[in-house]
Amino acid sequence: MARQPDATGKNVAKSRAKSATTGKPRASRTAAAQDAEPAVVTSEAKTASLAKPKAARSRPAAKPKASATPDDNAKPKVARKPKAAAPSAPEAGSAPKPAGPDAANPARASDSPPPARKLAENIERIETLGHRLMSALADRSLPNPGVEGPGPDLYLTAANAFLKTLSEHPAKMIETQVSFWGQTLSNYARAQQALATGHLVAPPDDGPSDKRFANPLWQNHPYFNLIKRQYLTNARALKEASDSLELPDDVARRRVDWMTAQIIDMMAPTNFLATNPDALEKAVQTEGESLVKGLENLVRDVESHGGEMIVSLADRRAFTVGENIGTAPGTVVYRAPLFEVIQYAPSTPKAHVLPLLIFPPWINKFYILDLKPQNSLIRWLVDQGHTLFVVSWKNPDAAMSDTGMEDYVEAYLDAMDQVLAQTGQSRLNTVGYCIAGTTLSLVLALLKQRGDKRVNSATLFTTLTDFSDQGEFTSFLQDDFVGGIDAEVQRHGLLRAQLMSRTMSFLRANDLVWGPAIRSYMLGETPPAFDLLFWNGDSTNLPGRMAMQYLRGLCQKNAFATDGFEVLGHRLHLSDVTVPLCAVACEADHIAPWKDCWRGMAQMGSKDKTFILSQSGHVAGIVNPPTRQKYGHYLSDHGFAEGHQEWRDAAAFQSSSWWPTWGAWLAERAGPMVDARDPGDGLEPAPGRYVHERAG
């Protein structure tokens, strides 16, 4: 507590004499300290007082004693509490005395609140970041309701189903409500008892393990345990209410279930600062620095995504394509407005006579197949003695808005021509990954109708060609959302990368939206230096015309598997694909479910078909090198005459990577060994120019 300064040095001397008379030590201050000390209680003094141990704060202040020798010239002194926590200057010639408990305990002193200067710096940083955030949000383009959420038809369908259930099964609705409120009251009663007794014995938790609630406070703290239990109660009630609705069809059921799951995930207590113990603990430990860093991360993400709040999944400063990622040696041997062709340098003296050409998806960059040397499929194929070519797609801008599916089909044919000319061969083997595999299937059907036999074999990675079951994309492939995308295309000429990334992320919201947002914005952590997540964030735009042809014609109408999909004057069907085929699907793939990949391949006209089912998901199941020994695969001789489950039941499991299995299949169709081909200088070294273009 600050005190009034003495008017003269005489008062100081009398004060010291008084201390000597009473036999009690009195802390003295220099004249400079007296002059600097304010006459009012400062915020620092208040903070220091609050920082005292509880026992010290509760000790009553000593009553002022009358002076034994009054001084008529002295100003009246103000009664004050002893300054136990504030160090005082020692008298000349005397040893320093402890100023209080904190002085005797350096560890306790280090726990004191941050100084005012640090607080002022943080406030200034927050103010600056706030202005930047508002400026960045102002750059966001006008919102498009068609892609922000489901259309009115879904809400109307859900409301009608609710009223129908209420009128036909009122007892069931009442029973659900009674059960919900009963559980809620039980949660609050348990928490009240724990708070009253100061002791919580966590009740048994029979739910599935959830990494969001790993902090022990969710179990042993009354407040957080109540929040968790009530959230789980609410989630269960929402799920039961959704399940009880009598909806008109399976599409409505999937959409309502998806929307319910999004609401449940969004309202998790871990998504809010006041109910996230990890974030609160980190804020206390760092004296608020974690929250300031979190705001910096938020501003960075909003600025880098044109006003959209899309959380960064990886540290973009950790990788540079061509330097520490995508480094397989090769040469760009051809460049067109839509793509580049890269030929990779051989690593063996001999190579198979037939070249191999890979078409990666143009939704992302090709270096998913060359993240680092240890898991590079590109390097592995070169080591197996293949003359390997890979297409690198251009990242479209608004000038390419009229580029359609037929332009991509012609690009496939052009790339094949260049590879055949480069190697002097008349035939080649091909690979298509994801949407590039769908387009490769269209090209194979077109070549069949034209009588062109340039493709010796084709391999499809996680490729959908029959969209009769839209799976987890059902909510995004209805007219309201596709109509919203159409409006986006009309406005921008593109299906922008940000919208694509956001849509794909919400298929796994806890892992790709809420979890990263918590770590980045609440905990103030730098995104991880993870190559796979770095690639995932390096997405591309899609030309508007091509995007709508794909969504309307292939996905919604399922034309390729039914009436036929028209390209370059030909109506193409799955049955037109007759070259030897190998398809690789992934057991846990939520983008291209393996049963749907299997169903499309079963309808193709080829008599030589091999299906490989890898463990794991859309990317990890493909990028699965033999050295890792992490995911196995399934093979079956059951054929395609029956359904996918019969094939799976008859399959044999192999604990190793599928790469060697496919490698043996490919080698049988790649021809004899010849001298390896050197790509020469070409246009420029790999990874080329187009891979560095980022979506604006």
Side-chain angles (χ1 to χ4, degrees):
M1 183 73 70
R3 62 183 293 273
Q4 295 266 4
D6 290 314
T8 65
K10 180 180 178 181
N11 293 334
V12 177
K14 286 188 175 185
S15 179
R16 291 175 180 168
K18 177 179 168 184
S19 298
T21 303
T22 59
K24 297 178 181 179
R26 177 182 178 85
S28 66
R29 291 172 298 170
T30 64
Q34 294 172 20
D35 294 339
E37 187 173 12
V40 295
V41 179
T42 63
S43 61
E44 291 91 336
K46 287 183 179 179
T47 307
S49 176
L50 291 174
K52 298 175 185 178
K54 184 175 181 181
R57 292 201 305 270
S58 63
R59 187 182 300 123
K63 295 182 179 180
K65 296 182 179 180
S67 173
T69 57
D71 185 352
D72 294 337
N73 295 326
K75 290 184 179 180
K77 293 182 172 63
V78 179
R80 61 190 184 277
K81 294 181 181 179
K83 295 178 59 179
S88 58
E91 293 183 16
S94 64
K97 297 179 176 61
D102 288 351
N105 188 347
R108 184 186 297 275
S110 66
D111 292 336
S112 60
R117 185 176 64 183
K118 182 65 175 176
L119 179 61
E121 290 175 355
N122 280 340
I123 291 175
E124 185 177 355
R125 288 166 65 192
I126 291 172
E127 183 178 3
T128 302
L129 290 168
H131 288 306
R132 285 175 55 191
L133 180 61
M134 292 300 101
S135 177
L137 290 173
D139 290 338
R140 185 190 181 200
S141 58
L142 292 176
N144 178 358
V147 296
E148 298 294 331
D153 60 322
L154 177 62
Y155 297 107
L156 182 61
T157 298
N160 288 338
F162 174 79
L163 294 175
K164 184 175 186 293
T165 304
L166 181 62
S167 62
E168 295 181 357
H169 307 285
K172 184 177 180 181
M173 298 286 287
I174 295 173
E175 180 183 355
T176 301
Q177 288 295 310
V178 169
S179 175
F180 168 72
W181 286 111
Q183 185 61 53
T184 297
L185 291 174
S186 175
N187 293 340
Y188 277 89
R190 185 184 295 110
Q192 186 178 23
Q193 181 181 9
L195 288 168
T197 61
H199 177 65
L200 173 66
V201 178
D205 190 347
D206 55 356
S209 61
D210 192 329
K211 62 183 179 182
R212 294 177 297 178
F213 302 114
N215 192 306
L217 289 175
W218 291 114
Q219 289 294 337
N220 56 34
H221 192 285
Y223 170 72
F224 289 110
N225 186 262
L226 170 63
I227 295 296
K228 170 193 171 184
R229 288 197 158 273
Q230 191 56 41
Y231 166 70
L232 295 177
T233 299
N234 295 343
R236 186 162 49 250
L238 279 172
K239 186 70 170 61
E240 290 175 355
S242 171
D243 292 343
S244 67
L245 296 179
E246 296 183 9
L247 296 166
D249 53 39
D250 184 60
V251 170
R253 165 53 58 197
R254 289 189 176 187
R255 299 191 76 193
V256 168
D257 288 348
W258 181 86
M259 193 67 180
T260 302
Q262 295 302 312
I263 294 172
I264 290 173
D265 291 343
M266 178 180 65
M267 298 307 297
T270 47
N271 296 339
F272 303 91
L273 178 62
T275 53
N276 187 318
D278 295 307
L280 294 174
E281 287 178 334
K282 185 76 174 289
V284 172
Q285 292 168 1
T286 63
E287 298 176 337
E289 182 69 15
S290 60
L291 298 180
V292 179
K293 288 185 176 179
L295 181 57
E296 290 176 344
N297 292 340
L298 172 61
V299 172
R300 176 205 63 213
D301 286 344
V302 174
E303 287 179 340
S304 62
H305 292 100
E308 298 283 351
M309 191 163 59
I310 300 176
V311 62
S312 295
L313 299 180
D315 185 359
R316 298 216 60 83
R317 299 167 299 180
F319 299 99
T320 300
V321 180
E323 294 183 9
N324 59 355
I325 193 171
T327 59
T331 301
V332 177
V333 295
Y334 180 72
R335 178 179 293 125
L338 192 55
F339 67 95
E340 293 174 328
V341 175
I342 301 172
Q343 181 180 352
Y344 284 91
S347 61
T348 58
K350 298 287 185 178
H352 290 282
V353 66
L354 294 187
L356 176 64
L357 173 59
I358 297 180
F359 295 99
W362 52 87
I363 293 177
N364 289 98
K365 305 292 181 63
F366 78 90
Y367 62 86
I368 182 58
L369 303 175
D370 186 33
L371 292 176
K372 50 190 175 184
Q374 299 93 313
N375 61 3
S376 171
L377 180 61
I378 286 175
R379 289 177 183 266
W380 186 83
L381 286 168
V382 171
D383 290 343
Q384 304 308 303
H386 292 282
T387 303
L388 181 63
F389 296 82
V390 175
V391 166
S392 174
W393 298 104
K394 183 174 178 59
N395 198 339
D397 55 23
M400 299 175 63
S401 60
D402 289 333
T403 301
M405 187 64 75
E406 60 275 12
D407 295 297
Y408 279 90
V409 169
E410 288 182 332
Y412 275 58
L413 299 175
D414 188 9
M416 291 179 187
D417 288 338
Q418 298 303 320
V419 169
L420 295 176
Q422 188 79 9
T423 58
Q425 297 296 310
S426 60
R427 309 194 76 190
L428 78 168
N429 294 314
T430 56
V431 176
Y433 191 174
C434 191
I435 187 176
T438 306
T439 310
L440 176 59
S441 300
L442 293 172
V443 172
L444 296 175
L446 176 66
L447 292 175
K448 170 66 175 178
Q449 291 193 13
R450 289 181 172 180
D452 191 326
K453 298 182 179 180
R454 71 177 72 183
V455 175
N456 185 63
S457 74
T459 301
L460 307 175
F461 294 166
T462 63
T463 294
L464 293 174
T465 51
D466 180 350
F467 295 86
S468 56
D469 185 347
Q470 297 167 350
E472 294 191 36
F473 284 95
T474 298
S475 297
F476 301 116
L477 290 177
Q478 304 312 305
D479 285 336
D480 53 356
F481 193 78
V482 175
I485 293 176
D486 200 352
E488 282 283 298
V489 166
Q490 296 300 322
R491 182 188 303 177
H492 302 287
L494 300 165
L495 176 50
R496 295 179 297 165
Q498 291 93 333
L499 178 58
M500 281 292 298
S501 296
R502 188 183 70 179
T503 301
M504 303 295 280
S505 293
F506 274 99
L507 292 176
R508 290 293 181 270
N510 284 330
D511 294 331
L512 298 177
V513 179
W514 307 120
I518 290 168
R519 292 189 293 272
S520 186
Y521 305 152
M522 289 191 196
L523 301 179
E525 296 178 358
T526 301
F530 186 16
D531 55 359
L532 184 57
L533 292 179
F534 174 86
W535 167 85
N536 188 73
D538 193 10
S539 55
T540 64
N541 301 317
L542 299 183
R545 187 162 180 266
M546 187 283 305
M548 296 315 301
Q549 286 176 313
Y550 180 79
L551 292 173
R552 297 285 194 195
L554 288 171
C555 297
Q556 285 192 309
K557 295 181 180 179
N558 195 25
F560 194 24
T562 54
D563 297 334
F565 186 79
E566 289 199 17
V567 175
L568 300 177
H570 292 261
R571 185 176 290 273
L572 308 176
H573 300 83
L574 281 173
S575 58
D576 294 326
V577 181
T578 58
V579 301
L581 292 173
C582 180
V584 183
C586 300
E587 193 174 26
D589 194 338
H590 64 282
I591 296 175
W594 78 266
K595 61 183 180 63
D596 299 324
C597 298
W598 187 96
R599 187 177 59 252
M601 188 178 182
Q603 299 175 60
M604 293 182 179
S606 175
K607 296 180 180 179
D608 179 3
K609 292 188 287 190
T610 299
F611 191 83
I612 300 174
L613 178 59
S614 174
Q615 291 183 311
S616 194
H618 191 71
V619 173
I622 296 298
V623 184
N624 180 31
T627 54
R628 185 180 296 175
Q629 292 295 325
K630 190 172 183 180
Y631 303 119
H633 64 283
Y634 298 87
L635 286 172
S636 176
D637 295 328
H638 195 70
F640 296 85
E642 300 180 69
H644 68 275
Q645 192 58 51
E646 287 75 12
W647 182 95
R648 175 68 174 77
D649 292 340
F653 177 71
Q654 298 185 23
S655 60
S656 58
S657 166
W658 60 268
W659 288 13
T661 300
W662 174 59
W665 181 92
L666 186 61
E668 293 177 359
R669 294 159 179 81
M673 305 297 283
V674 297
D675 290 339
R677 304 174 177 99
D678 188 340
D681 294 334
L683 301 179
E684 64 180 279
R689 181 181 304 174
Y690 288 166
V691 73
H692 296 294
E693 297 176 345
R694 290 189 49 78

